[in-house]
Amino acid sequence: MQVLVINSGSSSIKYQLLEPDNGDVVASGVVQRIGEPVGDGSPTIEHKSDGKTFEHDGPIADHGEGLRLVFDLFAKSGHDLAAADLGAVGHRVVHGGEVFYEPTLITDDVVRAIADLSTLAPLHNPANVTGIESARALLPEVPQVAVFDTAFFHHLPDAAKTYAIDAETAAAHGIRKYGFHGTSHDYVSGRVAEVLGRDRSEINQIVLHLGNGASASAIRGGRAVDTTMGLTPLEGLVMGTRSGDLDPGIIFHLIRAAGMDVQQVDDLLNRRSGIKGLSGVNDFRELGRLIDSGDAAAKLAYEVYIHRLRRYIGAYLVELGRVDAITFTAGVGENDARVRADALAGLSRFGIDVDPDRNTAENRSARYISPEGAEVAVLVVPTNEELAIARASAALVG
Ligand code: AMP
């Protein structure tokens, strides 16, 4: 059986056709600049299969047209979806609110409920709905499954998920910590248990998902007990373009003193803050080059990033009491040895050490970077949200 996994953004669709049993990727690709005039000459669709890349140039009006063109590229590349052994389409959905906390078979009611949650994720859920509707129209016979980014954190303890604001107001507006990147935290923590050769229920872990978006989680015996993202993916760690934690008073100050409106503050904190806001770049490869060339703003951005990360590692060590594994994943976590070393520097007294040779070794697989026999296993584990979504979808449709 194969599963088509779709991650639909406001102007993009990422997709993979894969085999959930062994994780083999049959084809993958990305549709970009949906609804935008084209302009920069680069292809709007890049489709990869069997080591070849197929491209589409020219504007794409909407998600429906984008998916239709993708289906044409599947056929052209010799993997016609109509003839494939397609068991399910799995959709990544960002916000499940209080309603959804398990992979869910998509019906008209489910689509409506996901759309209703758009007040909690105004950029993401409408895009997810558009992707779901397009895929249902093109593949009406194939079961479609929604896998929610918030699901893994649904059962956070009350003390961790409750914001200390007026309880009635919070209840009326669904205000609680929901957490995001849940599919990744769930998948990676499962892989950690496999690497350690222990049952997930026996171990306590900290997972650091450091990509363009970034979040940390504390996991006790396979269940998340805390995470850094909140009602929205803005809380917590410093990210590529997002501020993470700040004094909420800053928002009032920006409105009163700088004359900003809600949209401007939203744009500032989500798109013009974080590493980008402090240094001008948001990619850690460029940030590293700037630091090495002596750029003071880049150095400060990095130090603020590491400071916040260490603060949460400390918090989760105390919350968990005993930690068996600390794991780095996602674009920065998997690739940036300097971040990994600095995040855990000076913690030997807690049984936490990073071996410099292991940390800098060229190796793409799940691996230890702590020294042999260390009390706390420090690991790098590549995340694979597509595979996790494909497996969850396949399991649901049986
Ligand atoms: P993700 O959101 O997980 O795809 O991560 C994307 C981010 O990972 C990029 O914006 C970079 O900051 C970072 N990244 C990717 N490759 C590397 C690398 N080789 N070294 C350092 N950072 C990297």
Side-chain angles (χ1 to χ4, degrees):
M1 189 220 272
Q2 296 177 342
V3 175
L4 177 65
V5 174
I6 294 180
N7 180 356
S8 183
S10 55
S11 65
S12 69
I13 305 169
K14 290 187 203 137
Y15 59 90
Q16 266 190 19
L17 179 65
L18 55 124
E19 308 206 353
D21 289 343
N22 54 22
D24 284 355
V25 177
V26 181
S28 66
V30 57
V31 186
Q32 294 178 88
R33 301 197 300 286
I34 297 171
E36 292 174 18
V38 201
D40 74 353
S42 63
T44 42
I45 306 182
E46 279 186 280
H47 178 88
K48 296 197 170 92
S49 88
D50 306 318
K52 290 194 238 76
T53 302
F54 300 78
E55 292 180 350
H56 173 85
D57 301 302
I60 293 172
D62 52 35
H63 288 70
E65 184 185 3
L67 270 189
R68 261 193 314 280
L69 291 164
V70 165
F71 285 20
D72 291 346
L73 290 173
F74 267 107
K76 198 169 148 191
S77 65
H79 296 285
D80 193 347
L81 285 177
D85 176 23
L86 195 58
V89 179
H91 294 270
R92 173 178 187 240
V93 178
V94 167
H95 218 305
E98 287 280 13
V99 190
F100 298 110
Y101 48 91
E102 276 172 348
T104 302
L105 195 64
I106 294 176
T107 61
D108 291 344
D109 286 345
V110 169
V111 178
R112 267 192 295 276
I114 293 171
D116 287 345
L117 290 166
S118 294
T119 43
L120 290 171
L123 295 180
H124 295 105
N125 273 36
N128 298 153
V129 167
T130 313
I132 290 170
E133 285 177 335
S134 305
R136 289 179 90 201
L138 286 164
L139 295 166
E141 309 297 329
V142 182
Q144 315 249 337
V145 178
V147 178
F148 297 89
D149 227 30
T150 48
F152 187 57
F153 301 114
H154 182 77
H155 297 289
L156 286 179
D158 290 343
K161 76 177 188 206
T162 305
Y163 290 104
I165 64 169
D166 175 70
E168 268 179 43
T169 307
H173 297 284
I175 294 173
R176 56 160 278 190
K177 184 184 273 288
Y178 289 98
F180 299 86
H181 292 144
T183 306
S184 177
H185 286 275
D186 186 14
Y187 172 81
V188 168
S189 56
R191 288 283 294 127
V192 168
E194 283 172 16
V195 173
L196 265 54
R198 296 180 63 182
D199 199 279
R200 217 173 144 165
S201 63
E202 297 172 354
I203 54 175
N204 293 347
Q205 325 188 24
I206 297 174
V207 174
L208 306 167
H209 176 113
L210 310 177
N212 204 21
S215 60
S217 67
I219 303 169
R220 184 193 303 283
R223 281 178 88 118
V225 293
D226 209 347
T227 190
T228 53
M229 285 179 166
L231 174 81
T232 75
L234 184 54
E235 190 181 349
L237 302 176
V238 176
M239 309 181 213
T241 65
R242 286 174 238 163
S243 61
D245 295 341
L246 40 75
D247 174 358
I250 292 172
I251 296 171
F252 316 140
H253 184 68
L254 289 170
I255 292 169
R256 291 188 190 119
M260 288 187 170
D261 63 22
V262 170
Q263 193 49 50
Q264 286 170 318
V265 178
D266 188 314
D267 182 64
L268 174 78
L269 300 182
N270 275 300
R271 280 172 286 282
R272 296 194 290 121
S273 295
I275 293 293
K276 168 124 184 160
L278 290 172
S279 74
V281 301
N282 68 332
D283 190 306
F284 269 69
R285 288 161 287 199
E286 283 175 65
L287 187 76
R289 282 193 284 274
L290 286 175
I291 294 170
D292 294 340
S293 74
D295 187 295
K299 181 166 174 283
L300 176 63
Y302 181 79
E303 286 170 358
V304 173
Y305 179 92
I306 295 292
H307 177 87
R308 182 81 52 82
L309 186 56
R310 288 172 64 87
R311 182 192 283 170
Y312 274 109
I313 292 166
Y316 291 173
L317 283 172
V318 171
E319 273 187 50
L320 291 169
R322 187 202 82 229
V323 172
D324 301 288
I326 300 177
T327 305
F328 292 88
T329 191
V332 177
E334 291 168 34
N335 293 298
D336 200 317
R338 170 155 49 180
V339 166
R340 295 193 296 258
D342 290 340
L344 299 179
L347 302 181
S348 299
R349 77 188 63 177
F350 300 102
I352 300 167
D353 278 301
V354 172
D355 178 279
D357 292 333
R358 287 183 170 189
N359 189 31
T360 51
E362 287 291 326
N363 186 336
R364 309 291 315 151
S365 50
R367 64 191 188 277
Y368 287 87
I369 58 168
S370 45
E372 197 64 47
E375 194 182 325
V376 178
V378 182
L379 304 152
V380 179
V381 172
T383 191
N384 193 340
E385 287 163 275
E386 290 80 9
L387 179 58
I389 292 171
R391 287 193 172 149
S393 304
L396 186 70
V397 303

